[in-house]
Amino acid sequence: MSLDGSRKKGKKYLNVIPTDEAGFGKIVPILREYMNNKTENNPKKTIGPFKTDTTVYQTPPASGLRITWIGHSSILIEVDGKRILTDPVWGDRASFSKFMGPKRFFEPPLLLSELPPLDAVIISHDHYDHFDKDTIKYFAGSTIPFYCSIGVGQYLRKWGIIENYITEMDWGDSIMIGNDMVITAAPARHFSGRGVVNRNETLWSSFVMKGPKHNIYFGADSGWSPSFADIGEAFGPFDLTMLEVGAYGKYWPDIHMGPDHASNAHLALKGKLMMPIHYGTFNLAPHAWYEPIERLTTLAKDKNIDLFVPEPGKPTEVTGEYNSNWWKPYL
């Protein structure tokens, strides 16, 4: 089974099924919800600091799979001898401005200069909380391959990534890293745009990473979609699914899943272990900062889902069910 490529209407990319993107028509009720919000959107206690022991990277993971969660959707994945960095955001804010917008709850646990040598960087889409200009500029002139959704390459080129090291991918496209790692772009149910005038003119994607020993899935941003079952059928089962559990709200149920639908997506994907991402780092929704992970741990018990929840910045081998409960001291 293969995946269909993306579709467009004029300049705009379309989701697989009709999707309400919570556009301008919902600004007033969304703002009203934020103004009347009494939940702990930002942590009352200072989170961290977390510090990565970078000497760990001198030794390959015995299991063949090790994860360092930088925060949000930024993950250093060591899988079957390859190192892949997803949606790198080291900036202080997920915003067009350095002076306003959602501020991160804790500093990145390692400096960009402390990263081990990378085999690939994956960019799922162009939203600020997944695609940070200053972070990308750090890699300007390097020979690290960048793999991104269609249209996102224009920013990479502008920010100094060498043309020959940029590969734009449509849903269903596959590339090889070395001679034994296949990365495939897959559908997601979301939207794109870094401003008010270019909405959905670049594509958004999830990614399958299949090596000789491990098969993993990076979900990036997505609302619930029948595509999860299609991806599970075509590429599953997965040793690890990395799925967004945060930034959900009643006015945008189609573009972010939250823990309830994310756990359903994990099951549809035929996942063995589920790693929650896209939570605990930025205030992007009216729920409490800790609600997504607290809710997920309850749902996982009810649905017999094995979780993999590493502490921010701690390189952790993926060998089975694991929950660091890293957020508990800050409640």
Side-chain angles (χ1 to χ4, degrees):
M1 180 178 179
S2 62
L3 300 174
D4 292 332
S6 61
R7 297 178 299 119
K8 293 176 80 171
K9 184 175 182 181
K11 292 183 177 181
K12 310 290 187 182
Y13 285 95
L14 303 173
N15 278 296
V16 171
I17 56 176
T19 298
D20 181 352
E21 298 165 9
F24 293 115
K26 292 188 175 179
I27 286 179
V28 171
I30 288 173
L31 288 175
R32 187 180 296 121
E33 183 180 29
Y34 271 96
M35 291 170 62
N36 297 327
N37 189 17
K38 299 291 193 291
T39 58
E40 188 181 333
N41 300 120
N42 294 291
K44 292 177 181 176
K45 297 180 181 179
T46 300
I47 294 183
F50 303 103
K51 181 63 178 173
T52 301
D53 177 6
T54 56
T55 63
V56 172
Y57 301 130
Q58 296 171 15
T59 305
S63 64
L65 180 58
R66 186 166 58 200
I67 295 289
T68 308
W69 183 49
I70 310 302
H72 205 56
S73 297
S74 303
I75 312 165
L76 175 59
I77 303 169
E78 297 173 271
V79 54
D80 297 351
K82 304 294 188 294
R83 291 196 184 106
I84 301 167
L85 182 63
T86 64
D87 288 358
V89 175
W90 260 251
D92 202 34
R93 295 182 186 273
S95 172
F96 61 88
S97 169
K98 294 181 181 180
F99 307 103
M100 60 186 293
K103 193 175 189 300
R104 64 186 314 136
F105 300 157
F106 55 87
E107 291 298 309
L110 77 166
L111 302 174
L112 285 166
S113 60
E114 294 177 309
L115 282 168
L118 300 174
D119 295 287
V121 177
I122 286 176
I123 309 293
S124 64
H125 65 299
D126 66 10
H127 283 160
Y128 289 97
D129 59 321
H130 293 255
F131 192 41
D132 178 57
K133 179 179 179 180
D134 287 342
T135 303
I136 298 301
K137 282 188 166 184
Y138 171 81
F139 298 103
S142 76
T143 56
I144 301 168
F146 276 70
Y147 302 101
C148 63
S149 302
I150 296 176
V152 178
Q154 63 183 303
Y155 300 107
L156 293 173
R157 288 186 285 272
K158 189 186 302 182
W159 298 338
I161 304 303
I162 300 170
E163 173 80 43
N164 289 352
Y165 293 96
I166 300 170
T167 301
E168 299 190 22
M169 301 176 70
D170 193 4
W171 297 342
D173 287 351
S174 295
I175 57 91
M176 293 284 293
I177 299 180
N179 57 9
D180 57 3
M181 174 72 62
V182 181
I183 294 183
T184 303
R189 188 185 185 195
H190 201 54
F191 68 109
S192 68
R194 293 176 73 81
V196 295
V197 295
N198 61 351
R199 197 176 179 96
N200 294 348
E201 292 183 9
T202 63
L203 188 59
W204 49 95
S205 306
S206 62
F207 290 85
V208 174
M209 306 172 206
K210 184 172 178 57
K213 186 177 177 182
H214 291 93
N215 188 30
I216 60 179
Y217 176 79
F218 173 63
D221 274 5
S222 182
W224 170 256
S225 165
S227 295
F228 290 117
D230 294 338
I231 295 165
E233 191 64 32
F235 297 99
F238 291 101
D239 299 295
L240 181 71
T241 66
M242 293 161 275
L243 293 164
E244 56 119 287
V245 299
Y248 50 90
K250 67 180 181 180
Y251 293 111
W252 58 92
D254 290 358
I255 53 175
H256 285 291
M257 290 188 286
D260 293 71
H261 285 310
S263 52
N264 291 336
H266 169 78
L267 296 172
L269 287 161
K270 303 179 182 178
K272 297 175 186 176
L273 283 171
M274 176 183 174
M275 177 183 169
I277 61 173
H278 205 273
Y279 79 102
T281 313
F282 295 106
N283 173 13
L284 300 172
H287 57 68
W289 72 271
Y290 54 81
E291 183 182 294
I293 188 62
E294 289 273 292
R295 172 78 178 143
L296 180 65
T297 53
T298 300
L299 287 168
K301 293 173 185 173
D302 295 341
K303 298 181 181 181
N304 294 315
I305 292 173
D306 290 339
L307 296 180
F308 178 76
V309 188
E311 175 185 312
K314 185 174 182 178
T316 307
E317 292 219 27
V318 182
T319 56
E321 186 175 14
Y322 171 70
N323 190 346
S324 66
N325 290 302
W326 69 268
W327 70 96
K328 293 286 190 182
Y330 306 103
L331 298 181

